Amino acid sequence: MCMCGKGATLYKGGPPGLARVSSAMAELRRALLVLSCLLVAARCYPQTCYTKVLDMAQEIMVQAAGMREAPETQHCTAHLPDLHIDVHNACVMQTVRTYMSMLDNLDDICVRSRKVRALRAILRRLYLIMVHKCHGVRNGLIIPSLAIVPECTRDTG
């Protein structure tokens, strides 16, 4: 209770508008808590086949460029073409297979290097995911049945 001077007014729990402000703050805190929990849950949600393939394709392109520029592998990978993996292209499977065979046919010294082995491993994982796990993904995303098309060119681009 608060008594303020002569003719003071008696307030229970503070000024009249304070109760409304504190309840609004409590609601805001609850809303922020729920929102933060949803954001954390969204990050923990497992990737779909499509997002995994997109992420792997991006990682492969970065690793291939890094491998071609690295001093320990530059001498034997300089002749390799730039690798561009477009998972929406029907020729992507042939591109991945061709690049894997190019990596398999490198010099023994290069094949044993850590960067080449890592790139080969992730290329194989991408290939297997697209062949086996992404069956049934529709809506124009990844359709493995279109992956083997006779019109595909022999280049890796």
Side-chain angles (χ1 to χ4, degrees):
M1 290 191 177
C2 176
M3 296 286 286
C4 302
K6 263 189 189 177
T9 314
L10 183 64
Y11 295 115
K12 290 185 179 180
L18 187 61
R20 284 188 301 238
V21 171
S22 64
S23 68
M25 289 298 288
E27 287 295 320
L28 182 62
R29 280 190 206 116
R30 271 187 242 131
L32 286 174
L33 179 65
V34 169
L35 181 63
S36 65
C37 288
L38 289 175
L39 288 175
V40 169
R43 288 188 186 139
C44 296
Y45 195 78
Q47 287 185 322
T48 63
C49 182
Y50 176 66
T51 56
K52 184 166 183 73
V53 166
L54 285 178
D55 291 345
M56 287 179 75
Q58 183 65 34
E59 182 182 347
I60 287 169
M61 290 187 288
V62 169
Q63 280 188 9
M67 179 187 68
R68 291 182 61 214
E69 296 169 0
E72 64 270 8
T73 55
Q74 186 178 25
H75 67 282
C76 57
T77 58
H79 69 282
L80 293 176
D82 288 336
L83 180 60
H84 177 72
I85 299 176
D86 180 10
V87 297
H88 303 100
N89 188 341
C91 299
V92 68
M93 300 300 279
Q94 181 175 349
T95 301
V96 171
R97 280 194 311 265
T98 303
Y99 211 83
M100 281 190 327
S101 72
M102 286 181 187
L103 290 177
D104 288 338
N105 294 326
L106 290 175
D107 298 344
D108 285 342
I109 296 170
C110 257
V111 170
R112 287 191 299 259
S113 79
R114 183 176 292 158
K115 288 184 182 286
V116 173
R117 284 191 321 223
L119 183 61
R120 284 172 54 198
I122 195 168
L123 270 169
R124 282 198 170 89
R125 276 196 350 241
L126 174 69
Y127 184 80
L128 291 174
I129 287 172
M130 290 180 71
V131 167
H132 297 291
K133 294 186 179 183
C134 285
H135 284 288
V137 176
R138 297 285 179 215
N139 301 329
L141 302 179
I142 298 172
I143 304 172
S145 61
L146 296 178
I148 303 171
V149 178
E151 296 86 24
C152 292
T153 59
R154 290 273 176 203
D155 67 341
T156 59

Coordinates of all heavy atoms in Angstrom, one line a residue, residues 42-73:
A42 N 12.8 -26.2 -35.4 CA 13.0 -26.2 -36.8 C 14.4 -26.6 -37.2 O 14.6 -27.2 -38.3 CB 12.6 -24.8 -37.4
R43 N 15.4 -26.1 -36.5 CA 16.8 -26.5 -36.8 C 17.1 -27.9 -36.6 O 18.0 -28.5 -37.2 CB 17.7 -25.6 -36.0 CG 17.7 -24.2 -36.4 CD 18.8 -23.4 -35.7 NE 18.7 -22.0 -36.0 CZ 18.9 -21.1 -35.1 NH1 19.2 -21.4 -33.9 NH2 18.8 -19.8 -35.5
C44 N 16.4 -28.6 -35.7 CA 16.6 -30.0 -35.3 C 15.9 -30.9 -36.2 O 16.1 -32.1 -36.2 CB 16.2 -30.3 -33.9 SG 17.2 -29.3 -32.7
Y45 N 15.0 -30.4 -37.1 CA 14.2 -31.3 -37.9 C 15.1 -31.9 -39.0 O 16.0 -31.2 -39.6 CB 13.1 -30.4 -38.6 CG 12.0 -31.2 -39.3 CD1 11.0 -31.8 -38.5 CD2 12.0 -31.5 -40.6 CE1 10.1 -32.6 -39.1 CE2 11.1 -32.2 -41.2 CZ 10.1 -32.8 -40.4 OH 9.1 -33.6 -41.0
P46 N 15.0 -33.2 -39.3 CA 15.9 -33.8 -40.2 C 15.8 -33.3 -41.6 O 14.7 -32.9 -42.0 CB 15.5 -35.3 -40.1 CG 14.2 -35.3 -39.5 CD 14.0 -34.1 -38.7
Q47 N 16.9 -33.3 -42.4 CA 16.8 -32.9 -43.7 C 16.0 -33.8 -44.6 O 16.0 -35.0 -44.4 CB 18.2 -32.8 -44.3 CG 19.1 -31.7 -43.8 CD 20.4 -31.7 -44.5 OE1 21.0 -32.7 -44.8 NE2 20.9 -30.5 -44.8
T48 N 15.4 -33.3 -45.6 CA 14.8 -34.1 -46.6 C 15.8 -34.6 -47.6 O 17.0 -34.1 -47.6 CB 13.7 -33.3 -47.4 OG1 14.3 -32.3 -48.1 CG2 12.6 -32.8 -46.4
C49 N 15.5 -35.5 -48.4 CA 16.4 -36.0 -49.4 C 16.8 -34.9 -50.3 O 18.0 -34.8 -50.7 CB 15.7 -37.2 -50.2 SG 16.8 -37.9 -51.4
Y50 N 15.9 -34.1 -50.7 CA 16.2 -33.0 -51.6 C 17.2 -32.0 -51.1 O 18.1 -31.6 -51.7 CB 14.8 -32.3 -52.0 CG 15.0 -31.1 -52.9 CD1 15.5 -31.2 -54.2 CD2 14.7 -29.8 -52.4 CE1 15.6 -30.1 -55.0 CE2 14.8 -28.7 -53.2 CZ 15.3 -28.9 -54.5 OH 15.4 -27.8 -55.3
T51 N 17.0 -31.6 -49.8 CA 17.9 -30.6 -49.2 C 19.2 -31.2 -49.0 O 20.3 -30.5 -49.1 CB 17.3 -30.0 -47.9 OG1 17.1 -31.1 -47.0 CG2 16.1 -29.2 -48.1
K52 N 19.3 -32.4 -48.7 CA 20.6 -33.1 -48.5 C 21.3 -33.2 -49.8 O 22.5 -32.9 -49.8 CB 20.4 -34.5 -47.9 CG 21.7 -35.2 -47.6 CD 21.5 -36.4 -46.8 CE 22.7 -37.1 -46.4 NZ 23.5 -36.4 -45.4
V53 N 20.7 -33.5 -50.9 CA 21.3 -33.5 -52.2 C 21.8 -32.2 -52.6 O 22.9 -32.0 -53.1 CB 20.4 -34.2 -53.2 CG1 20.8 -33.9 -54.6 CG2 20.2 -35.6 -53.0
L54 N 21.0 -31.1 -52.4 CA 21.4 -29.8 -52.7 C 22.6 -29.4 -51.9 O 23.6 -28.8 -52.5 CB 20.3 -28.8 -52.4 CG 19.1 -28.8 -53.4 CD1 18.1 -27.7 -53.0 CD2 19.6 -28.4 -54.8
D55 N 22.6 -29.6 -50.6 CA 23.8 -29.3 -49.8 C 25.0 -30.1 -50.2 O 26.1 -29.5 -50.3 CB 23.5 -29.6 -48.3 CG 22.5 -28.7 -47.7 OD1 22.2 -27.6 -48.3 OD2 21.9 -29.0 -46.6
M56 N 24.9 -31.3 -50.5 CA 26.0 -32.1 -50.9 C 26.6 -31.7 -52.3 O 27.8 -31.6 -52.4 CB 25.7 -33.6 -51.0 CG 25.5 -34.3 -49.7 SD 25.0 -36.0 -49.8 CE 26.6 -36.7 -50.3
A57 N 25.7 -31.3 -53.2 CA 26.1 -30.8 -54.5 C 27.0 -29.5 -54.3 O 28.0 -29.4 -54.9 CB 25.0 -30.6 -55.4
Q58 N 26.5 -28.6 -53.5 CA 27.3 -27.4 -53.2 C 28.6 -27.7 -52.6 O 29.6 -27.2 -53.0 CB 26.4 -26.5 -52.3 CG 27.1 -25.2 -52.0 CD 27.2 -24.3 -53.3 OE1 26.4 -24.4 -54.2 NE2 28.2 -23.5 -53.4
E59 N 28.6 -28.6 -51.6 CA 29.9 -29.0 -50.9 C 30.8 -29.6 -51.9 O 32.1 -29.4 -51.9 CB 29.6 -29.9 -49.8 CG 30.8 -30.4 -49.0 CD 30.5 -31.4 -47.9 OE1 29.3 -31.6 -47.6 OE2 31.4 -32.0 -47.4
I60 N 30.3 -30.5 -52.8 CA 31.2 -31.1 -53.8 C 31.8 -30.1 -54.8 O 33.0 -30.2 -55.1 CB 30.4 -32.2 -54.6 CG1 30.1 -33.4 -53.7 CG2 31.1 -32.6 -55.9 CD1 29.1 -34.3 -54.3
M61 N 31.0 -29.1 -55.2 CA 31.6 -28.1 -56.1 C 32.7 -27.3 -55.4 O 33.7 -27.0 -56.0 CB 30.5 -27.2 -56.6 CG 29.5 -27.9 -57.6 SD 28.3 -26.9 -58.4 CE 27.2 -26.6 -57.1
V62 N 32.5 -27.0 -54.2 CA 33.5 -26.3 -53.4 C 34.8 -27.1 -53.2 O 35.9 -26.6 -53.4 CB 33.0 -25.8 -52.1 CG1 34.0 -25.3 -51.1 CG2 31.9 -24.7 -52.3
Q63 N 34.6 -28.4 -52.9 CA 35.7 -29.3 -52.7 C 36.5 -29.5 -54.0 O 37.7 -29.6 -54.0 CB 35.3 -30.6 -52.1 CG 35.1 -30.6 -50.6 CD 34.8 -32.0 -50.1 OE1 35.0 -33.0 -50.8 NE2 34.4 -32.0 -48.8
A64 N 35.8 -29.6 -55.1 CA 36.4 -29.9 -56.4 C 37.3 -28.6 -56.8 O 38.4 -28.8 -57.3 CB 35.4 -30.2 -57.5
A65 N 36.8 -27.5 -56.6 CA 37.5 -26.2 -56.9 C 38.7 -26.1 -56.0 O 39.8 -25.8 -56.4 CB 36.6 -25.0 -56.7
G66 N 38.6 -26.5 -54.7 CA 39.7 -26.4 -53.7 C 40.7 -27.5 -54.1 O 41.9 -27.2 -53.9
M67 N 40.3 -28.6 -54.5 CA 41.3 -29.7 -54.9 C 42.1 -29.3 -56.1 O 43.3 -29.5 -56.1 CB 40.5 -31.0 -55.2 CG 41.4 -32.1 -55.6 SD 40.4 -33.5 -56.2 CE 39.7 -32.9 -57.7
R68 N 41.5 -28.6 -57.1 CA 42.2 -28.2 -58.2 C 43.2 -27.0 -57.9 O 44.2 -26.9 -58.6 CB 41.2 -27.7 -59.3 CG 40.5 -28.9 -59.9 CD 39.5 -28.5 -61.0 NE 40.3 -27.9 -62.1 CZ 39.9 -26.9 -62.8 NH1 38.7 -26.4 -62.6 NH2 40.6 -26.4 -63.8
E69 N 42.9 -26.3 -56.9 CA 43.8 -25.2 -56.5 C 44.8 -25.5 -55.5 O 45.8 -24.8 -55.2 CB 43.0 -24.0 -56.1 CG 42.1 -23.4 -57.2 CD 41.0 -22.4 -56.6 OE1 41.0 -22.2 -55.4 OE2 40.3 -22.0 -57.5
A70 N 44.7 -26.6 -54.8 CA 45.6 -27.0 -53.7 C 46.9 -27.4 -54.3 O 47.0 -28.1 -55.3 CB 45.0 -28.2 -52.9
P71 N 48.0 -26.9 -53.6 CA 49.4 -27.2 -54.1 C 49.7 -28.7 -54.2 O 50.4 -29.2 -55.1 CB 50.3 -26.6 -53.1 CG 49.5 -25.7 -52.3 CD 48.1 -26.1 -52.4
E72 N 49.2 -29.5 -53.3 CA 49.5 -31.0 -53.3 C 48.8 -31.7 -54.4 O 49.2 -32.8 -54.8 CB 49.3 -31.6 -51.9 CG 47.8 -31.6 -51.5 CD 47.4 -30.4 -50.7 OE1 48.2 -29.5 -50.6 OE2 46.3 -30.5 -50.1
T73 N 47.7 -31.2 -54.9 CA 46.9 -32.0 -56.0 C 46.8 -31.2 -57.3 O 46.3 -31.7 -58.2 CB 45.5 -32.3 -55.5 OG1 44.9 -31.1 -55.1 CG2 45.5 -33.3 -54.3

